[in-house]
Amino acid sequence: DIQMTQSPSTLSASVGDRVTITCRASQSISSWLAWYQQKPGKAPKLLIYKASSLESGVPSRFSGSGSGTEFTLTISSLQPDDFATYYCQQYAPVGGLTFGGGTKVEIK
Amino acid sequence: QITLKESGPTLVKPTQTLTLTCTFSGFSLSTSGVGVGWIRQPPGKALEWLALIYWDDDKRYSPSLKSRLTITKDTSKNQVVLTMTNMDPVDTATYYCALLAGAFDIWGQGTMVTVSS
């Protein structure tokens, strides 16, 4: 099965900062990667699918890039509403699905 | 509007079998490409994918939990059922179901299940 390694596990940043989160797959998953945002006590929310496609309604300050085994989620200018935990997830057509370990974005 | 809602017991005893139902509306599980999955999250920990069923009854399971899981669908009732056998306290978690139309596009609110004697 495909393993997903996310880094960092915790990130301290200030409002207005540019933030980058990395996700690495143990084998190539082409562009079958999604990013989710989760706030305490809430279900995850889809931000990015197919590595770089922005889900409808998600602010344009969120962007995704990468293919194969290396992926990034970038928040261009961190807003107060963005302090949350972020997860990557692979959904390659063959086999099962896997989530990364999560990245908590905290206020610096 | 697409919605999903999980239901089932909030407390189960060790060794018991857990049965969770996901009742959904706004889409059909007979539509090509559509799936419904189950994901869990222990308190303070990461998301863990459990199982997935597609419109054509193709089923996928987490390799680490495959022997304990069964996923089924009832298209006429708009429901997906997950059973997990031999429950243990480490299975205490919030269990989510979600619509898969690509990625997990829409999630239920989740249901907290505690395993304790």
Side-chain angles (χ1 to χ4, degrees), chain B residues 5 10 23 28 33 50 54 58 61 67 70 79-80 92 101 103 106 111-112:
Chain B
K5 188 171 184 179
T10 57
T23 303
S28 171
L50 301 176
Y54 287 101
D58 181 16
Y61 295 100
S67 64
T70 303
Q79 290 181 333
V80 171
T92 293
I106 308 289
T111 185
M112 178 68 192

Side-chain angles (χ1 to χ4, degrees), chain A residues 1 34 36 38 42-44 46 49 55 87 89 91 93-97 99-101, chain B residues 39 41 45-49 52 54 60-61 63 96 100 102-105 107-109:
Chain A
D1 47 325
Y36 300 87
Q38 187 180 32
K42 300 293 187 181
L46 178 64
Y49 62 96
E55 176 72 349
Y87 293 93
Q89 179 228 329
Y91 56 104
V94 177
L97 314 177
F99 287 92
Chain B
I39 305 100
Q41 186 172 38
K45 296 190 176 180
L47 300 167
E48 179 184 19
W49 169 71
L52 174 59
Y54 287 101
R60 311 282 176 92
Y61 295 100
Y96 297 99
L100 188 87
F104 284 123
D105 301 66
W107 295 60
Q109 64 190 21

